[in-house]
Amino acid sequence: MEPAKTTWVRPSKTDKNDNVIDAILKKRGITRKELSTPYSGDPSLIHDMDKAVKIILDAVKNEDKTAIYGDYDVDGITSTAIMMKTLRATEPKRTPPSESKFIPYIPMRDDGYGLKEKGVKELADAGVKLIITVDNGTHADEAIKMAQSMGIKVIVTDHHQVREEAHVGEPEALVNPTHPDSKGEYSNLSGAGVAYMLSGELFEKGLPVGLKRRTELKIELAAIAALGTVADMMPLLGVNRDIANLGLPHFQDVLGLNKLVEVTRSGGFDDGAQDRQVDTEEIYFQLGPRINAAGRMGDPGFALLLLMTEDETKAKETARFLTNQNIWRKDATKQCVYLLEREVYSMADDKKAIVLWDEDIPKGIAGLVASRFAEKYGVTTWIGCQDKKTGEITGSARAAASGVSCLELLNAADNYLVSGGGHEAAAGFSVKKDDAEAFRELIEKTAEELMHGKPVVKPLEIDLMIDRLLTDEEMQEIRELGPWGKGLESPIIASCGLTILNWATKPKSGFTTMELTDGKRVIQAHAFEPPHPAPKVGQKIDLAYKIGTRDSLQAASLEISLEKELVSADLELG
């Protein structure tokens, strides 16, 4: 199977009366007003929101022991932190965790995704009377029934798609904006976004927290919700854009996040510029992976500790620990990609999905490996870890730009799933050993049918093509229109006829820098892998790039004219 080729999708001719920003927005079909107008909605329109608020307020009043049942990824961790901080604010500030009525429960990745009978039993033994799930629980029918049989009430807060083919549990309240009876434009919320909406409704409806503490807490919660929303790749439009705008300026107000930013930047990223506001790029490539590394490589509780602690020394030590875990995660991902690369390469070129599993793939790495292959080969990819004792396969799926939705494939294979859930871009799944081959065949067959014979390519949507480099003022205006992210990606600009003055690649990392000129000004571009074929100094190229938050361009792809043939060289975006 050959890697998919990047295909530039060029924009239609630009109106000469449009400036750079107007041309980009016109192509996107959005206006400046849409980007700047806050979303005005009513979170109580989310399914069962009012019911959940009443149950929680009663539990607080009656001092019922309450567990927040989270998940091991960044969205689950941030969701847990939001609800824990909200509810613990009702207790005296110095209440030791061991004496609190509110306890977190985050399963290890080996325990599997979502509310499980094992966790319910442990919480029942601890005297819990109310379980609030965050970022999970919609289809946890058996675990919900078990909890209720033990006298435990269950509130599910989740954002994963309600799948028609799978049975939905019947908790005391199901707060999920994708539920058919939900109203308002909340269906693109992350798990952290749903928890943030619930927290806001609790404050509105009389959660007993003093005004000063509530004001401080709302700032912290906005920052944590922004982290979860951006890192979980939610579209940055509507209410998600509001969450990002509210939270990104306040990372320094959450002690653990502040220390994580300090440790990250002092390690070489951004040259230690500690005062700059955190942006989406930094969350995608630096902060989010560090939070995720805890659950991928060991105990996700360390990531929750980072967000909850009020001890400066502990916050800094935990930030350093997560950074080291992330280095280990990177190395493990490279090894797993290498392990499966030969098998992928030997596949037929007409495959429209990749489905692979191996006993040596750690569960925490499966999604990252799937992402690498989906990006490289342009097809939706399913990577699983096979249990050495039971043979059961548990893994993750990632969609490709020109591929098929993970959710469509998940729904098609529902009869083979032990468990599963997700959305269009990503999914988690478990399949029994005896069903594995049939599962693979069905995924591949369904993907081929849904592709309708379309070729596998990596489309690169160009927003603007110009015969020069952007000016500093134009680049700054693009930055100020942010936050850019999933669903509102940073514009891709193609500057044509540039000359390469110099370029260099670090042998070990592959990190590449290029010095370019349009004849009037010189600028640096960077990429996380070298171009193939390699350009020569003095050569003319067309370069597609994004605007970095610092003074350089993030190279995406370049085209070089070699012996009258236009050759595309793919570059991994930094």
Side-chain angles (χ1 to χ4, degrees):
M1 190 175 190
E2 291 290 333
K5 296 294 184 183
T6 295
T7 301
W8 286 23
V9 182
R10 289 164 167 76
S12 57
K13 194 172 182 180
T14 303
D15 188 328
K16 290 184 177 180
N17 295 321
D18 287 339
N19 62 28
V20 163
I21 305 303
D22 289 338
I24 291 169
L25 295 181
K26 186 178 288 186
K27 181 183 179 296
R28 297 288 184 90
I30 53 178
T31 65
R32 293 176 191 249
K33 184 177 180 181
E34 286 177 285
L35 293 181
S36 60
T37 303
Y39 175 73
S40 56
D42 180 1
S44 70
L45 295 175
I46 298 173
H47 185 260
D48 278 356
M49 177 66 84
D50 286 342
K51 195 184 291 186
V53 168
K54 184 180 185 308
I55 294 169
I56 294 170
L57 290 177
D58 286 345
V60 171
K61 182 179 178 181
N62 297 330
E63 298 186 352
D64 292 337
K65 195 162 191 178
T66 300
I68 310 303
Y69 197 111
D71 186 29
Y72 37 71
D73 70 359
V74 65
D75 195 21
I77 297 292
T78 51
S79 303
T80 304
I82 288 167
M83 290 311 302
M84 286 295 298
K85 282 178 173 283
T86 298
L87 295 176
R88 280 193 176 171
T90 64
E91 299 177 318
K93 196 164 186 179
R94 300 296 177 188
T95 301
S98 60
E99 297 177 16
S100 175
K101 291 288 182 183
F102 307 103
I103 62 172
Y105 187 97
I106 300 178
M108 300 289 282
R109 192 172 284 266
D110 285 344
D111 294 329
Y113 164 78
L115 185 65
K116 300 287 187 185
E117 287 89 341
K118 175 190 173 186
V120 169
K121 188 177 185 309
E122 289 179 16
L123 294 175
D125 291 343
V128 165
K129 297 299 181 186
L130 172 64
I131 293 174
I132 304 170
T133 75
V134 288
D135 193 34
N136 73 92
T138 294
H139 294 289
D141 186 40
E142 295 303 319
I144 291 169
K145 286 178 180 176
M146 179 181 179
Q148 291 167 335
S149 72
M150 294 176 164
I152 301 173
K153 292 180 179 178
V154 180
I155 293 172
V156 168
T157 77
D158 198 1
H159 74 120
H160 293 98
Q161 290 283 344
V162 177
R163 292 186 285 124
E164 295 177 7
E165 294 80 358
H167 188 72
V168 177
E170 297 180 8
E172 275 65 23
L174 172 56
V175 183
N176 188 326
T178 73
H179 191 283
D181 295 334
S182 253
K183 297 173 183 172
E185 296 180 16
Y186 293 101
S187 60
N188 285 324
L189 282 172
S190 64
V194 176
Y196 182 63
M197 293 295 126
L198 175 56
S199 172
E201 287 297 287
L202 286 167
F203 288 131
E204 286 291 320
K205 300 294 171 57
L207 191 72
V209 178
L211 179 62
K212 183 174 183 293
R213 179 66 186 126
R214 189 188 313 173
T215 303
E216 295 170 346
L217 194 57
K218 283 184 175 181
I219 291 172
E220 292 180 45
L221 298 183
I224 296 171
L227 172 62
T229 297
V230 174
D232 206 42
M233 307 293 281
M234 293 295 106
L236 292 187
L237 295 166
V239 66
N240 285 338
R241 191 169 186 80
D242 290 350
I243 291 172
N245 279 324
L246 284 169
L248 289 175
H250 293 291
F251 272 46
Q252 76 276 10
D253 293 308
V254 180
L255 178 61
L257 288 183
N258 188 33
K259 293 303 173 186
L260 187 63
V261 171
E262 281 185 14
V263 168
T264 299
R265 292 178 179 176
S266 64
F269 177 71
D270 205 24
D271 301 322
Q274 301 292 355
D275 296 333
R276 184 182 61 78
Q277 178 180 308
V278 167
D279 55 48
T280 55
E281 176 192 341
E282 193 168 0
I283 291 174
Y284 288 138
F285 296 109
Q286 302 293 334
L287 306 180
R290 282 166 168 78
I291 298 287
N292 266 328
R296 293 189 189 283
M297 309 310 295
D299 187 352
F302 285 106
L304 181 62
L305 173 63
L306 180 82
L307 299 181
M308 294 296 296
T309 188
E310 295 180 8
D311 181 296
E312 187 164 349
T313 300
K314 191 174 288 184
K316 192 153 193 173
E317 287 175 350
T318 307
R320 285 173 175 157
F321 174 77
L322 294 179
T323 295
N324 288 332
Q325 290 284 92
N326 193 46
I327 293 170
W328 182 24
R329 186 272 305 170
K330 287 180 181 179
D331 290 342
T333 302
K334 287 179 182 177
Q335 290 171 14
C336 291
V337 169
Y338 179 78
L339 175 70
L340 297 177
E341 187 81 67
R342 184 176 295 178
E343 195 169 347
V344 175
Y345 190 74
S346 66
M347 289 179 177
D349 285 336
D350 60 355
K351 288 278 188 187
K352 298 299 189 287
I354 294 171
V355 186
L356 292 172
W357 55 83
D358 193 281
E359 290 182 349
D360 293 325
I361 302 292
K363 289 180 183 177
I365 300 299
L368 298 173
V369 177
S371 293
R372 298 292 189 277
F373 287 136
E375 167 64 23
K376 183 173 182 177
Y377 293 97
V379 297
T380 301
T381 302
W382 302 67
I383 301 294
C385 167
Q386 186 163 28
D387 188 278
K388 293 180 180 179
K389 292 181 180 178
T390 67
E392 185 166 300
I393 296 159
T394 302
S396 296
R398 295 294 184 270
S402 65
V404 179
S405 157
C406 290
L407 191 62
E408 284 188 274
L409 295 176
L410 196 72
N411 288 336
D414 186 66
N415 288 338
Y416 293 118
L417 296 174
V418 175
S419 63
H423 40 78
E424 290 191 356
F429 66 97
S430 291
V431 180
K432 289 181 180 178
K433 178 183 179 181
D434 292 344
D435 293 330
E437 284 300 334
F439 172 79
R440 188 205 317 254
E441 289 173 12
L442 182 58
I443 291 291
E444 291 177 348
K445 180 174 177 288
T446 305
E448 188 169 350
E449 290 171 354
L450 292 172
M451 285 289 286
H452 303 297
K454 292 186 295 184
V456 173
V457 296
K458 291 196 292 183
L460 186 67
E461 290 275 351
I462 308 295
D463 289 284
L464 181 71
M465 294 194 74
I466 52 178
D467 57 1
R468 60 178 176 83
L469 289 164
L470 293 176
T471 66
D472 289 338
E473 291 76 19
E474 288 167 338
M475 287 195 284
Q476 185 57 29
E477 192 169 359
I478 288 173
R479 293 187 189 104
E480 290 173 355
L481 276 176
W484 303 101
K486 182 70 176 177
L488 188 68
E489 283 80 4
S490 181
I492 301 242
I493 314 298
S495 289
C496 303
L498 303 182
T499 302
I500 297 179
L501 299 178
N502 197 6
W503 76 283
T505 297
K506 293 182 179 179
K508 189 173 180 180
S509 67
F511 187 84
T512 299
T513 57
M514 291 178 282
E515 195 173 65
L516 306 160
T517 184
D518 60 1
K520 294 181 179 178
R521 63 192 304 254
V522 175
I523 199 166
Q524 276 200 341
H526 70 262
F528 274 58
E529 63 178 32
H532 298 288
K536 298 176 181 177
V537 172
Q539 195 165 34
K540 293 279 188 180
I541 66 167
D542 296 344
L543 182 74
Y545 55 88
K546 291 183 179 181
I547 307 302
T549 52
R550 289 155 293 282
D551 296 327
S552 67
L553 308 178
Q554 294 176 273
S557 177
L558 59 84
E559 289 190 341
I560 316 167
S561 182
L562 296 176
E563 297 177 359
K564 299 182 181 180
E565 180 183 1
L566 199 62
V567 178
S568 176
D570 295 345
L571 299 157
E572 181 181 337
L573 270 173

